Amino acid sequence: MFSARTLAWVPIVIGVLLYRSGDLLLNGVLNRSSFPRGYIADGNYSSDCKTVRDYTVSPEESLRFCEDETFWELYDAQAKLAERTVIVSCDPGRKAWNTVMGPLRDPTPHGGLWLYAFAGDATRRDGKATRILNPNISVNQAHRITLKNYPQNHDFHPLGLEIWPSYSGNSSNLYVINHARKETVVEHFLLNPAHPTEAKHIRTIRSLHFLSANGLALTSPDSFYVSNDHLMTRRLPIVGHVLPLVESILGLPLGFVSHITLNKHTSTETDPISKKEFAKLFIPFANGISISSSGTDFALASTSMGEILLYERDLATNKLKHKKETIRLPFFPDNVNFSPSNSSNGLEEIIVGGHPNFPDLIQVAKSKSAGSPSWVIAIVPKESGNGERSLVFDQDAPVSTNSKIQMDGVRWTMKTLFQSDGVEEKRGFACSTAGLRDPDSGVIYVTGIYAQGGMMVCKPGLAN
């Protein structure tokens, strides 16, 4: 029985929520927009977009329920970029084991990593064949990556991941956040272009700085930032199914970002971590993170607030200095990725994937709904950094960001890259979490956390 004092707090809590994120509450919870079956910017969804799951094998062995994706860049002996492939983290057992949304029912089935190579990638520069990746790897197809020397009886539930580039065919350090049975850890692998479907497991890295690890961004082959979405996690006994939800709904600023520096794996040190420090505290639901190619900008998704937080980064100390921008979004953002743009000021776009309707996402997670919509946008720098805010933008999209957000920013605007109603039975794509756009080919890759198709590849204006 609630007391009068308890009930008196209800309008105060509602008022705080409306004040802090009223637009997001209306856009992402209370209202349902009429999303199209599918939309791809500057292209035709029905002919340009396809999922890459292999339906000839069992769902347990195929690419589906994919959370994150990252480019693996391969440079030749002249230090020129020769190829750019995609590595994806997927977990078909996610509906039975999800330490962020729940439930924590069965951690036994393993998730997996996948490799996807685009057909035009190896010959698009100067018309010359420059392939570094093993030529036996077929293109336009997903390939499961075998985890070599992976510890027995050790769970694998991958979430955020990133890989260091390969130079002249050498092996790359690959780091993957693993929401294992007892704790969240980071797995360290080596991946070589000559054998790109075999990831050699090097070590499992443990730390309280991985309490609720979600996103990962590399600062060197042996160092990275990691975001932690909650302080109160679902692993807490008795209250674990309540407190994380309270933390999310109230937008409590209890998430954080840490920076980790490792001892090289050839070191004799027993502890793989040489240095660990908090880079930024007090972030509501700190989710996806990304670093610009210059290394000076750091983007962070605050999911429960519907915001992208842009910080200035100190290259020498890895400190995240003052906040340069807070960008409000019309949906709940998940993962973020910097991407080069054609802007004359040299700034990069930020590609953001997220969830337009959170109740629909919950229903899909519980297998009670046919689909949850997808939305991927580009936050686009304006040519003039001191421009004016506009009342008209993103007009080509079926559901425009402009219909949810009245004005864009002084230094940025928005463009919808991808939308879908998420009804996969009718060829929609559900539950978008991440978006990547290849700056050379224009190919767009979208992952879906509960998408049966796993990853969608869109090639606007290109022959499939």
Side-chain angles (χ1 to χ4, degrees):
M1 197 75 181
F2 292 106
S3 67
R5 180 175 295 181
T6 301
L7 291 174
W9 279 98
V10 173
I12 297 176
V13 171
I14 293 175
V16 170
L17 289 174
L18 290 173
Y19 173 76
R20 295 183 67 196
S21 54
D23 290 342
L24 183 63
L25 187 63
L26 291 174
N27 293 330
V29 177
L30 301 179
N31 295 335
R32 241 184 214 95
S33 298
S34 298
F35 286 96
R37 185 55 31 80
Y39 165 81
I40 182 68
D42 307 316
N44 184 299
Y45 178 82
S46 61
S47 60
D48 294 340
C49 297
K50 294 181 180 179
T51 56
V52 295
R53 175 183 164 191
D54 186 354
Y55 286 89
T56 63
V57 300
S58 68
E60 292 76 19
E61 294 298 322
S62 188
L63 177 148
R64 65 174 188 151
F65 294 4
C66 300
E67 158 70 19
D68 202 7
E69 56 186 348
T70 186
F71 281 128
W72 184 21
E73 295 185 331
L74 310 177
Y75 291 82
D76 61 20
Q78 287 72 46
K80 292 183 178 180
L81 182 63
E83 295 180 78
R84 185 184 285 113
T85 63
V86 180
I87 299 176
V88 191
S89 65
C90 309
D91 190 355
R94 199 179 305 279
K95 287 188 178 182
W97 185 260
N98 188 328
T99 63
V100 181
M101 296 174 58
L104 301 181
R105 190 170 58 244
D106 183 10
T108 304
H110 277 206
L113 304 177
W114 296 78
L115 176 84
Y116 181 90
F118 170 52
D121 193 73
T123 57
R124 65 186 174 202
R125 296 170 184 83
D126 303 324
K128 298 178 181 179
T130 55
R131 193 160 201 193
I132 295 175
L133 199 71
N134 187 320
N136 294 323
I137 299 298
S138 55
V139 296
N140 295 337
Q141 181 180 335
H143 302 269
R144 184 157 191 165
I145 299 175
T146 301
L147 307 184
K148 191 176 180 181
N149 298 334
Y150 195 74
Q152 291 186 353
N153 303 318
H154 183 38
D155 307 304
F156 189 62
H157 297 283
L159 219 68
L161 80 167
E162 194 161 34
I163 186 169
W164 195 253
S166 171
Y167 296 90
S168 300
N170 70 339
S171 295
S172 293
N173 282 328
L174 167 65
Y175 298 94
V176 184
I177 294 171
N178 177 14
H179 285 207
R181 185 181 313 245
K182 295 182 179 179
E183 59 182 336
T184 295
V185 296
V186 173
E187 307 292 354
H188 178 192
F189 300 92
L190 284 181
L191 196 63
N192 189 284
H195 307 282
T197 58
E198 290 185 356
K200 180 181 178 182
H201 186 263
I202 302 300
R203 52 189 171 177
T204 297
I205 307 163
R206 294 176 168 85
S207 173
L208 289 178
H209 285 262
F210 310 150
L211 175 69
S212 56
N214 195 313
L216 190 147
L218 294 176
T219 54
S220 80
D222 303 295
S223 61
F224 53 83
Y225 291 102
V226 61
S227 65
N228 288 262
D229 50 56
H230 286 77
L231 180 64
M232 298 177 285
T233 72
R234 287 187 174 267
R235 286 195 176 93
L236 290 171
I238 303 175
V239 295
H241 64 293
V242 175
L243 291 185
L245 185 62
V246 172
E247 184 178 332
S248 297
I249 292 175
L250 296 182
L252 299 180
L254 301 179
F256 58 95
V257 178
S258 294
H259 186 267
I260 307 297
T261 303
L262 302 175
N263 293 306
K264 293 186 181 296
H265 67 273
T266 55
S267 170
T268 58
E269 297 285 342
T270 56
D271 186 352
I273 298 178
S274 66
K275 185 178 181 181
K276 48 192 174 184
E277 56 191 336
F278 293 109
K280 188 61 62 176
L281 298 171
F282 311 122
I283 305 295
F285 206 134
N287 202 328
I289 54 178
S290 185
I291 303 172
S292 64
S293 57
S294 67
T296 58
D297 290 320
F298 180 94
L300 165 65
S302 174
T303 299
S304 59
M305 299 305 295
E307 296 174 344
I308 301 300
L309 309 178
L310 190 62
Y311 294 93
E312 181 181 349
R313 174 176 173 259
D314 189 313
L315 279 72
T317 65
N318 292 306
K319 298 291 186 183
L320 300 180
K321 299 192 288 187
H322 71 279
K323 185 163 58 178
K324 299 172 63 174
E325 197 90 46
T326 297
I327 303 172
R328 299 296 299 271
L329 299 177
F331 54 75
F332 294 92
D334 203 312
N335 289 310
V336 297
N337 290 285
F338 276 99
S339 180
S341 69
N342 296 320
S343 174
S344 61
N345 55 21
L347 297 177
E348 297 184 3
E349 297 179 356
I350 303 174
I351 311 297
V352 187
H355 311 288
N357 191 278
F358 202 74
D360 284 349
L361 179 66
I362 298 298
Q363 290 299 97
V364 169
K366 295 180 178 179
S367 300
K368 294 182 178 180
S369 174
S372 175
S374 295
W375 201 343
V376 177
I377 68 164
I379 299 172
V380 184
K382 290 184 176 180
E383 292 295 322
S384 172
N386 296 312
E388 296 182 354
R389 301 184 71 182
S390 175
L391 291 168
V392 179
F393 56 96
D394 194 31
Q395 296 300 295
D396 294 333
V399 179
S400 170
T401 54
N402 197 187
S403 68
K404 310 286 187 179
I405 296 175
Q406 186 177 7
M407 290 191 294
D408 63 7
V410 173
R411 291 178 289 272
W412 52 268
T413 189
M414 294 184 183
K415 178 179 179 178
T416 293
L417 300 181
F418 181 85
Q419 282 181 345
S420 176
D421 62 7
V423 182
E424 293 187 277
E425 293 178 354
K426 299 182 179 179
R427 209 179 166 268
F429 187 80
C431 312
S432 59
T433 53
L436 289 174
R437 181 170 61 187
D438 190 307
D440 292 313
S441 67
V443 175
I444 293 173
Y445 304 86
V446 182
T447 52
I449 189 170
Y450 291 116
Q452 297 289 341
M455 180 175 71
M456 177 158 277
V457 180
C458 296
K459 307 171 184 177
L462 302 176
N464 279 293

